[in-house]
Amino acid sequence: MRKEIVINPITRIEGHAKVTIFLKDDQTVKEARFQVIDFRGFEKFCEGRPFYEMPSITSRSCGICPVSHLMASAKACDQIVGVTPPTTAVLLRRLMHMGQMIQSHALNLFYLSFPDLLLGMDSDPAERNIFGLIEKQPDLARQGIKLRKYGQEIIEKVAGKRIHSSEWIMPGGGKWPLTKQNADYLHSNLHEALDITVKTIAFFKNCLEGLEDEAENFGNFPTYYLGLVTAKGGLEHYGGKIRIVDAEGKIVADQLDPATYYDYIGEAVEPWSYMKFPYYKPLGYPDGTYRVGPLARLNIASHCGTPLADEELKEFKKLGKNGIVQSTFHYHYARLIEILFCLEGVKEILEDPEVLSERVSAKAFVNNDEGIGVAEAPRGTLIHHYAVDPQGMIVWANMIIATEHNNLAYNKAVTQVAKKYVNGKRLQEGMLNRVEAVIRAFDPCLSCATHAVGQMPLDVTLIDSNGKIVDRRVR
Amino acid sequence: MTATTVTLKIDGLEVTVPEGTTILKAAKDNGIIIPTLCNLEGLSPYGGCRLCLVEISGSPKLFPACITPVSSGMEVTTQSERLTEYRKMAVQMLLAERTHICSVCVANDHCELQSLANQLGVDHVLFERNWTRLEIDSSHDFLVIDRNRCILCTRCLRVCDEIEGVHTLDLKLRGKDAQVIMDLDEHWGNSCSCTSCRKCAKVCPVGAIYIEGEPVSHTKHKDIAEFITERRQRKWKQ
Ligand code: SF4
Ligand code: SF4
Ligand code: FES
Ligand SMILES: [Fe+2]
């Protein structure tokens, strides 16, 4: 006999998702499930389309970090045409992707997460948003808005449009070079963005002290971590190979070729969710649960490779044992470090004379019937895998998105939070907010922005063991 | 010899144009813009899309301006609520006829159908959409046709026939089932008449014919037909 508490929809994340909390007879929490109920089936939708349309289709129809989809997709397309993009094309793709990382992380932090953290979990939801933050912490909010804008501007200056800039990317590179004027513009605004980030990190570390309780109970559990690293094991977002590290910090597998992901990543299916459940094959399902995303990336990377981010990474690693930080709460800190890393990367790229070269694409037609592209999206490892016919029409497509990799971890995290904060037959505001916040810490989706402000549409139902509604709150 | 001229009124403005001029041309030469889609300067008129419909006083019927010649004393109205309604409907029908998803189209932001829809304020389609699954032919080295986005304006047929002079392109089937074909329904890559001149891609108003790997914003040049026609007449010598 069990009771269900349903929180639906989770606000400030994209799509329709709901959390179901199962109570035991004694009103304590048995387990919780995070369900995505919005199945979009893009893989089917893509069949029959020309392969070079995939970057545009996937970045549009999925909405989870469009630029990361562009990258993973373009890399899969590079393989289909069988070319290596010119150096400058890679620099520009990386630059654009850093822009995405900066804007997406800034969005999550300043618009979605800081309101929770700084205004308090138990504060009025109507004020717990960017506007509330502007009121209470005007400087911080304004800086966050600026930082996000800078990320967007990078994308715009490279590819033309801020949100959907799929016209620029093509198999084999990009369609037009970066102008000197645009490069100079980005360079001249870099300093301020770096400054904001350094200040925010200092400020955030200060705040951490009051939030030990959250850090302790926010999806703080051991898992494996998976992500891309450079050949030397450094932080990597665009290229590199896959590394898997266990909860003790031991490298379980390293330099795995993303092109053979299916050899070591399995995809399980559960009847109650449309999402697939990826797992590390050698460990089986569900023991092979791993996490991806900012926290995972910093856990697996031995260094960042840029001076400021490296300093910060050292401090970050101190938060955990053997350099492994388990609490989902620290996704926030990880995001800040990644912003720093990206800004330093932007500087390196902009100061590379190659970046202005006119040679930005290698042209070729279909030469292979299969292509696999991998990139680190802000939310984690993103895999695109296509098969095409001789004319280049998609005959089969498979995508593994970050939200799916984290699927198992979500459920663990939600269960942990629910166990700590849910009790009794009534739903408390603070408890609901914490369940939402833990999911938001993973940052399931970018378009959360659409729900970012104003009154949160939240429908909470409490059902007793006879299936009768005993408590329901809609706000 | 003096050409015979005709005097008429367009939107209240009295205009005098040579006999045989179309209402569309007469309006345009006098600074009045009538929306069009299938019509293209430099190509023969076709009269298929019905966007250029106008009212002529004394007749309850609507007339396509691109193929209706002027006549003396005519009073033409190019803008009215009724006309806007018809034009909106024409755009909606085109959108419903095939698979138009602007957000994932190569021509997004550089599409004449899309910009007309925006101009006219078409923000939804009232007709049931046909989500077509017609053949996409990318067998040519760089030209691609996605028939699911074709609005059957026949600009490509006309430019291929009248300007390039090879008549590679034609239509098969009728009505909404009509499809652009190459030669006798060959794959484009096997067409022996196509000279790969790209003119069809330049004039296609939507994302149906395009050049693989090149931004549509760089490859669409719908003025090409008019340009070539004028050059052929060696107007600069006169
Ligand atoms: S490329 Fe030229 S010749 Fe070939 S179909 Fe198009 S217009 Fe005709
Ligand atoms: S392919 Fe383009 S130019 Fe040709 S008929 Fe279709 S829409 Fe018109
Ligand atoms: S422009 Fe006159 S009918 Fe198409
Ligand atoms: Fe999203």
Side-chain angles (χ1 to χ4, degrees):
Chain A
M1 209 140 321
R2 67 186 184 188
K3 301 180 173 87
E4 284 185 30
I5 298 170
V6 184
I7 305 178
N8 186 21
I10 290 296
T11 58
R12 288 189 273 162
I13 60 165
E14 195 201 21
H16 287 245
K18 65 174 183 173
V19 164
T20 312
I21 302 167
F22 298 98
L23 297 180
K24 290 190 271 199
D25 275 344
D26 64 0
Q27 315 289 358
T28 59
V29 173
K30 184 166 164 271
E31 69 164 321
R33 281 174 185 173
F34 171 69
Q35 285 165 276
V36 168
I37 51 184
D38 185 1
F39 178 65
R40 304 203 193 180
F42 354 97
E43 282 139 337
K44 263 269 164 284
F45 175 80
C46 298
E47 283 170 19
R49 301 304 311 169
F51 74 100
Y52 47 80
E53 281 188 1
M54 291 301 278
S56 152
I57 292 177
T58 54
S59 73
R60 288 283 184 165
S61 37
C62 172
I64 299 177
C65 356
V67 176
S68 304
H69 275 283
L70 288 182
M71 297 303 151
S73 184
K75 284 173 74 180
C77 292
D78 293 345
Q79 286 192 356
I80 288 171
V81 297
V83 299
T84 310
T87 318
T88 305
V90 174
L91 286 178
L92 293 179
R93 283 187 185 177
R94 279 181 178 275
L95 184 60
M96 186 175 169
H97 195 225
M98 286 167 177
Q100 156 90 80
M101 199 65 92
I102 295 164
Q103 86 89 19
S104 167
H105 280 357
L107 172 74
N108 178 283
L109 286 165
F110 292 91
Y111 288 68
L112 311 172
S113 295
F114 281 178
D116 288 343
L117 301 179
L118 303 177
L119 306 177
M121 291 285 177
D122 305 295
S123 65
D124 180 355
E127 272 150 33
R128 201 158 27 80
N129 53 42
I130 185 79
F131 296 130
L133 193 67
I134 289 172
E135 200 140 289
K136 295 264 159 57
Q137 304 263 3
D139 284 345
L140 183 74
R142 233 174 276 128
Q143 292 190 328
I145 292 167
K146 260 195 194 153
L147 189 59
R148 174 162 183 239
K149 180 162 165 265
Y150 184 65
Q152 290 173 319
E153 278 177 342
I154 295 175
I155 300 172
E156 190 184 313
K157 297 298 173 197
V158 175
K161 273 193 264 173
R162 278 185 204 175
I163 307 297
H164 287 292
S165 29
S166 54
E167 210 197 0
W168 179 78
I169 209 134
M170 65 178 276
K175 285 183 192 154
W176 54 82
L178 180 67
T179 63
K180 173 125 190 2
Q181 193 191 357
N182 282 347
D184 289 348
Y185 176 85
L186 291 176
H187 199 272
S188 66
N189 288 303
L190 179 66
H191 186 76
E192 189 186 12
L194 262 169
D195 200 49
I196 290 174
T197 309
V198 169
K199 278 193 191 135
T200 309
I201 291 178
F203 172 80
F204 179 77
K205 283 195 288 197
N206 239 334
C207 298
L208 269 184
E209 278 156 34
L211 295 165
E212 285 95 355
D213 204 29
E214 270 79 7
E216 200 51 42
N217 294 292
F218 248 62
N220 186 0
F221 51 86
T223 54
Y224 292 83
Y225 298 95
L226 178 146
L228 293 171
V229 289
T230 64
K232 288 184 178 153
L235 183 58
E236 174 65 66
H237 289 153
Y238 172 84
K241 299 249 160 79
I242 285 178
R243 172 183 277 185
I244 301 171
V245 167
D246 73 9
E248 262 70 60
K250 203 174 95 238
I251 295 174
V252 178
D254 204 6
Q255 300 297 323
L256 295 174
D257 188 351
T260 55
Y261 75 94
Y262 41 80
D263 283 343
Y264 49 89
I265 294 176
E267 292 177 79
V269 180
E270 289 281 5
W272 49 269
S273 176
Y274 281 121
M275 279 207 293
K276 287 172 282 193
F277 290 75
Y279 60 97
Y280 179 49
K281 270 190 185 169
L283 294 161
Y285 177 78
D287 290 346
T289 306
Y290 55 80
R291 275 188 271 182
V292 299
L295 188 75
R297 286 192 289 258
L298 295 194
N299 277 339
I300 62 165
S302 25
H303 57 272
C304 291
T306 59
L308 295 176
D310 267 330
E311 278 306 302
E312 216 48 63
L313 182 66
K314 273 188 216 140
E315 285 204 38
F316 177 82
K317 290 200 177 268
K318 282 187 210 147
L319 290 170
K321 224 174 74 207
N322 299 336
I324 298 296
V325 182
Q326 304 276 16
S327 172
T328 302
F329 182 79
H330 289 305
Y331 265 90
H332 302 311
Y333 189 13
R335 271 184 205 110
L336 281 164
I337 297 174
E338 285 204 315
I339 294 179
L340 196 56
F341 168 73
C342 286
L343 287 170
E344 290 183 288
V346 167
K347 183 165 163 17
E348 261 173 38
I349 290 178
L350 289 175
E351 288 170 4
D352 186 333
E354 282 286 314
V355 78
L356 294 178
S357 157
E358 303 260 315
R359 186 176 293 161
V360 292
S361 64
K363 284 204 178 115
F365 299 102
V366 180
N367 287 306
N368 294 309
D369 53 18
E370 215 178 324
I372 295 173
V374 180
E376 283 292 332
R379 289 144 196 86
T381 315
L382 174 65
I383 302 175
H384 280 223
H385 183 181
Y386 315 144
V388 295
D389 71 10
Q391 278 209 25
M393 301 299 150
I394 299 283
V395 292
W396 177 87
N398 186 34
M399 279 167 250
I400 304 184
I401 58 174
T403 311
E404 286 175 333
H405 290 291
N406 284 331
N407 214 348
L408 285 167
Y410 275 127
N411 293 303
K412 280 196 184 183
V414 169
T415 302
Q416 193 180 29
V417 171
K419 279 192 166 154
K420 165 92 181 166
Y421 294 103
V422 176
N423 49 14
K425 285 194 283 195
R426 295 197 68 82
L427 299 159
Q428 314 292 336
E429 192 72 41
M431 180 284 291
L432 300 181
N433 294 343
R434 282 180 178 86
V435 170
E436 281 185 65
V438 76
I439 288 169
R440 231 166 16 241
F442 279 103
D443 191 11
C445 228
L446 174 76
S447 312
C448 11
T450 49
H451 299 298
V453 293
Q455 190 72 11
M456 287 194 278
L458 190 63
D459 186 347
V460 188
T461 314
L462 181 60
I463 302 160
D464 74 5
S465 45
N466 305 317
K468 219 178 81 212
I469 294 171
V470 291
D471 190 14
R472 179 161 186 221
R473 292 173 51 191
V474 182
R475 69 179 191 208
Chain B
M1 199 182 95
T2 47
T4 331
T5 59
V6 172
T7 301
L8 70 155
K9 269 190 178 167
I10 306 179
D11 290 345
L13 183 77
E14 196 165 282
V15 304
T16 302
V17 293
E19 193 177 8
T21 310
T22 62
I23 295 175
L24 181 68
K25 180 99 177 24
K28 192 182 166 210
D29 290 350
N30 288 283
I32 296 167
I33 303 298
I34 300 171
T36 58
L37 203 46
C38 66
N39 191 72
L40 193 62
E41 205 99 351
L43 300 180
S44 58
Y46 171 58
C49 74
R50 303 284 149 172
L51 256 117
C52 64
L53 289 178
V54 293
E55 293 166 349
I56 298 175
S57 16
S59 169
K61 271 180 29 185
L62 299 175
F63 296 84
C66 69
I67 47 168
T68 311
V70 293
S71 60
S72 190
M74 225 180 207
E75 282 182 29
V76 179
T77 306
T78 73
Q79 300 290 344
S80 72
E81 232 165 77
R82 175 172 169 230
L83 288 172
T84 307
E85 275 321 299
Y86 274 103
R87 286 173 187 154
K88 279 173 119 165
M89 211 188 301
V91 167
Q92 287 183 50
M93 282 170 155
L94 289 173
L95 289 171
E97 194 168 76
R98 303 248 160 124
T99 305
H100 292 277
I101 306 174
C102 301
S103 60
V104 298
C105 178
V106 287
N108 190 16
D109 282 351
H110 308 286
C111 170
E112 292 177 47
L113 180 62
Q114 187 187 38
S115 71
L116 265 174
N118 285 342
Q119 248 174 30
L120 292 168
V122 176
D123 46 17
H124 54 270
V125 173
L126 286 173
F127 306 96
E128 192 177 337
R129 290 187 180 233
N130 286 318
W131 299 110
T132 54
R133 281 251 174 189
L134 300 173
E135 196 197 7
I136 305 169
D137 183 352
S138 74
S139 57
H140 187 278
D141 276 352
F142 52 82
L143 290 160
V144 186
I145 181 165
D146 183 345
R147 297 180 171 92
N148 300 292
R149 298 183 185 136
C150 173
I151 57 169
L152 299 168
C153 70
T154 73
R155 278 190 191 177
C156 57
L157 273 61
R158 285 175 284 151
V159 82
C160 186
D161 176 45
E162 296 166 18
I163 308 290
E164 180 59 8
V166 293
H167 200 121
T168 299
L169 304 175
D170 212 321
L171 288 180
K172 72 170 177 186
L173 305 178
R174 288 174 173 275
K176 70 168 178 44
D177 298 321
Q179 287 180 40
V180 173
I181 53 166
M182 289 79 198
D183 292 349
L184 295 170
D185 208 1
E186 289 290 335
H187 273 130
W188 212 337
N190 297 333
S191 160
C192 44
S193 66
C194 173
T195 59
S196 301
C197 72
R198 304 170 175 232
K199 290 187 192 73
C200 46
K202 287 185 179 13
V203 301
C204 178
V206 292
I209 297 184
Y210 58 92
I211 295 167
E212 191 180 326
E214 284 181 35
V216 163
S217 51
H218 296 193
T219 55
K220 296 276 182 213
H221 285 292
K222 66 171 183 159
D223 299 344
I224 191 72
E226 186 181 11
F227 175 79
I228 295 177
T229 313
E230 282 185 359
R231 291 252 141 171
R232 287 210 176 120
Q233 293 164 352
R234 295 187 154 62
K235 281 199 174 153
W236 67 88
K237 282 191 170 167
Q238 289 160 15

